[in-house]
Amino acid sequence: MSDSPTSVPWWREAVIYQIYPRSFCDTNGDGIGDLNGIRRRLTYLAWLGVDAIWLSPIFPSPMRDFGYDVSNYFDVDPIFGSLDDFAHLIHEAHDLGIRVILDWVPNHTSIDHPWFVDARSSRESVHRDWYIWRDEAPDGSLPNNWIRAWSDESVWTLDESTSQYYLHMFLPSQPDLNWANPSVRDAMVETLRFWLDMGVDGFRMDVVHALGKDIDRDDPEDLRMIGHTPLNDVAVTHEYLREIREVLDEYSRDRVAVGEVYLLDPSRVATYFGKDDELHLSFNFQSIFTPWRANAWLETIRKAEEALNPVGAWPTWVMSNHDNPRVATRLGGQDRVRAALVLLLSLRGTAFLYAGEELGLEDALIVPERVVDPGGRDGCRAPIPWSMGEHHGWDENAWLPFGERASALSVEAQERDSSSTLHMVRQLLALRRASTPLRLGALRNLHVEGDVLVFEREWEGSVVRVVVNFAKSPSPIDTSTGTVLFASETLTDRTHLNANSALLIQVS
Ligand code: NOJ
């Protein structure tokens, strides 16, 4: 279907579907999703029309941060299956035209990783310098004032047996690797090669902007309580990224590096593309934090375009993930979910769709006895409801409770209803595949009319106009020119746009 120039890399045109493996589909009845569950649902994903899947970490892990604390980079955690299952998964996904991206966690390991076990065994151990250690000061003061994620605590924990502090930007059980040590870089590059050899199409790289660190610099007092991660922006990281990119390019030009560059200023994020020799893509988290207002979205889009265009970088858009509330919970109302999905899938850039957003799922309510995540993110990780029945395609022991309306929002219920959000997303994905302006076109004429956001996507004279009404009531707007390609709600007339709705019009 694609009539795009052959030089366009696949990931520019792609819709990448994020799977949180624990919550996707369980085939062995232990209440936790697994690789065979993903294999079972590949036909669903092909039917939906996504181009690639990104799997949150599948490596062996004590799961204190549910896989973002790796204890072996060269295997699959038995809870998810085996390397063999993964080989089958890649093969079957590729047969269906779906690429596979893994989540690579290079900034830190688990304390259970043999490197750290050795590192903490003595100050002279082979792996001591693979992590970041500082002496205990005589007055008991800490090496710097940085704050770790999800708390107001320091990034430094004292290792009693060797009387030095080690650094961890996340949990004390997630010590940061010392990327300044070339042996660490070599070892981590080997982990990339292992999975590239297995045929993966790329990596989502966890907190990759934080690999280089300037430990002797304190964070500004007025900002330090947001935690150190979004403040870590050090030049040497770009050298590490170039080394990583070289490895990917050795394989082929179409293995993609997607960075989680958790810096909240798009112009800082823009530096992580280098001269097309660092990341291919980076998340733009502004889109998750932008309130449901036309002016706010205008700003977010404008800032992304202004930051990325001058450096020739390609934008990305994401509305939710395993770390943040789902769209329905954040914005409220299925009409808003549908309009937000139209926006996500028609902006200029690669789109990331978190599993379950095609159903308009809501976060589950987590009672205190069911809390398992140290970062308070259980709600958006509720299992995917496949069927309407009692356990929604799972045994009775799913690791987290379902969202309240799991039956009504289940895949089974929505497959039967041609007006469902699921069918809407499927249609939108098909439309995007068939429309070069939507996949690749320039973004122009971005403006706001009252509560309505308007922009156009243009490719060689073919123009699709995108119109989104953020208001709770119909907004007057003339949409009479052109052919309606898609409407998120029934279109009553072409002088008004319904509350919380979106329209795509082919205007030339
Ligand atoms: C970002 C990931 O998205 C999050 O889930 C994880 O807890 C942290 N990085 C630490 O790896």
Side-chain angles (χ1 to χ4, degrees):
M1 228 16 231
S2 169
D3 54 351
S4 32
T6 45
S7 58
V8 176
W10 68 269
W11 40 264
R12 283 202 172 205
E13 304 180 76
V15 175
I16 302 177
Y17 184 90
Q18 181 194 356
I19 292 180
Y20 196 67
R22 292 182 81 83
S23 304
F24 196 61
C25 177
D26 176 21
T27 55
N28 65 358
D30 65 357
I32 294 174
D34 42 50
L35 295 182
N36 286 335
I38 300 173
R39 289 171 68 196
R40 179 181 291 175
R41 303 296 175 180
L42 282 174
T43 46
Y44 165 77
L45 297 174
W47 171 84
L48 184 61
V50 300
D51 301 289
I53 51 178
W54 142 37
L55 312 186
S56 280
I58 57 168
F59 316 112
S61 161
M63 303 285 170
R64 296 184 187 96
D65 189 14
F66 297 106
Y68 286 94
D69 46 338
V70 178
S71 56
N72 176 2
Y73 288 93
F74 299 103
D75 207 346
V76 168
D77 193 286
I79 229 167
F80 296 128
S82 65
L83 275 175
D84 229 29
D85 297 335
F86 184 70
H88 287 301
L89 168 58
I90 290 219
H91 187 74
E92 290 160 7
H94 285 172
D95 276 354
L96 290 166
I98 297 174
R99 315 226 183 199
V100 180
I101 294 176
L102 284 186
D103 207 319
W104 184 58
V105 189
N107 179 67
H108 44 267
T109 68
S110 160
I111 39 169
D112 296 356
H113 195 293
W115 298 338
F116 192 73
V117 172
D118 179 54
R120 79 185 323 180
S121 68
S122 98
R123 289 196 185 199
E124 282 72 47
S125 72
V126 174
H127 294 95
R128 184 71 173 181
D129 187 48
W130 285 41
Y131 293 86
I132 299 167
W133 300 93
R134 285 293 181 275
D135 280 329
E136 195 177 5
D139 66 350
S141 61
L142 294 166
N144 62 30
N145 72 350
W146 299 358
I147 299 290
R148 77 163 174 89
W150 317 309
S151 78
D152 53 5
E153 289 162 17
S154 167
V155 296
W156 297 98
T157 288
L158 184 65
D159 179 55
E160 304 280 348
S161 60
T162 55
S163 302
Q164 276 190 316
Y165 286 94
Y166 65 89
L167 182 136
H168 53 88
M169 288 187 2
F170 294 89
L171 300 174
S173 57
Q174 291 168 297
D176 282 38
L177 283 163
N178 177 16
W179 272 73
N181 181 338
S183 305
V184 168
R185 302 208 293 279
D186 289 349
M188 290 309 289
V189 156
E190 282 317 302
T191 71
L192 289 175
R193 287 187 199 283
F194 178 83
W195 297 101
L196 289 165
D197 287 339
M198 278 196 84
V200 304
D201 298 287
F203 300 92
R204 176 266 188 193
M205 302 184 168
D206 193 62
V207 286
V208 78
H209 67 290
L211 299 184
K213 296 176 176 73
D214 189 352
I215 286 165
D216 299 324
R217 197 169 57 192
D218 275 342
D219 283 335
E221 273 309 321
D222 55 331
L223 290 180
R224 61 189 278 265
M225 291 318 290
I226 66 172
H228 177 69
T229 316
L231 303 172
N232 196 99
D233 185 16
V234 177
V236 72
T237 301
H238 299 282
E239 281 174 34
Y240 306 154
L241 286 175
R242 286 193 285 275
E243 289 177 21
I244 291 168
R245 173 65 179 267
E246 264 178 35
V247 176
L248 261 61
D249 288 351
E250 261 175 45
Y251 280 76
S252 67
R253 293 289 295 176
D254 60 0
R255 310 287 177 112
V256 67
V258 186
E260 189 203 20
V261 179
Y262 198 75
L263 297 170
L264 303 175
D265 173 356
S267 63
R268 296 306 312 154
V269 177
T271 64
Y272 285 77
F273 300 96
K275 298 187 171 71
D276 191 22
D277 55 359
E278 298 183 30
L279 296 172
H280 295 102
L281 295 174
S282 171
F283 289 102
N284 173 11
F285 292 110
Q286 286 305 315
S287 48
I288 290 187
F289 305 129
T290 302
W292 188 247
R293 279 190 284 105
N295 272 315
W297 270 96
L298 177 86
E299 265 306 278
T300 293
I301 299 166
R302 199 180 50 73
K303 275 196 187 142
E305 290 277 317
E306 280 176 8
L308 300 185
N309 271 336
V311 296
W314 187 248
T316 66
W317 297 98
V318 61
M319 293 271 187
S320 55
N321 58 25
H322 65 295
D323 291 331
N324 291 284
R326 286 187 176 278
V327 176
T329 301
R330 203 154 42 82
L331 303 182
Q334 288 296 313
D335 52 351
R336 284 191 177 179
V337 172
R338 293 162 69 102
L341 285 164
V342 175
L343 183 58
L344 170 71
L345 295 168
S346 53
L347 280 165
R348 188 178 82 95
T350 305
F352 287 85
L353 186 65
Y354 180 42
E357 289 303 325
E358 77 276 22
L359 306 169
L361 284 191
E362 297 154 356
D363 286 7
L365 279 175
I366 309 289
V367 293
E369 308 81 77
R370 294 297 301 268
V371 169
V372 287
D373 176 46
R377 300 159 294 181
D378 295 320
C380 64
R381 298 173 178 181
I384 301 294
W386 293 99
S387 64
M388 298 163 75
E390 207 184 347
H391 303 303
H392 311 300
W394 295 66
D395 284 5
E396 66 284 305
N397 56 351
W399 76 293
L400 282 173
F402 289 89
E404 247 176 66
R405 299 195 307 131
S407 270
L409 297 176
S410 67
V411 173
E412 183 189 10
Q414 297 205 36
E415 271 176 352
R416 289 182 191 175
D417 172 6
S418 62
S419 67
S420 65
T421 302
L422 174 61
H423 277 281
M424 184 201 84
V425 171
R426 180 168 185 254
Q427 281 161 31
L428 262 178
L429 292 179
L431 188 63
R432 184 179 157 117
R433 269 200 184 180
S435 164
T436 312
L438 282 178
R439 290 195 318 282
L440 293 170
L443 188 141
R444 58 176 220 188
N445 288 343
L446 174 68
H447 65 280
V448 158
E449 296 181 32
D451 289 318
V452 179
L453 176 76
V454 183
F455 59 89
E456 289 171 349
R457 302 291 311 283
E458 189 269 334
W459 179 265
E460 292 180 352
S462 172
V463 178
V464 176
R465 185 172 296 152
V466 183
V467 192
V468 186
N469 181 17
F470 287 77
K472 287 196 202 104
S473 49
S475 285
I477 181 138
D478 178 9
T479 59
S480 59
T481 311
T483 312
V484 173
L485 293 177
F486 192 86
S488 71
E489 305 291 325
T490 314
L491 193 61
T492 34
D493 69 75
R494 305 218 18 205
T495 60
H496 284 81
L497 198 53
N498 284 346
N500 294 314
S501 74
L503 199 60
L504 301 182
I505 313 168
Q506 184 81 47
V507 289
S508 68

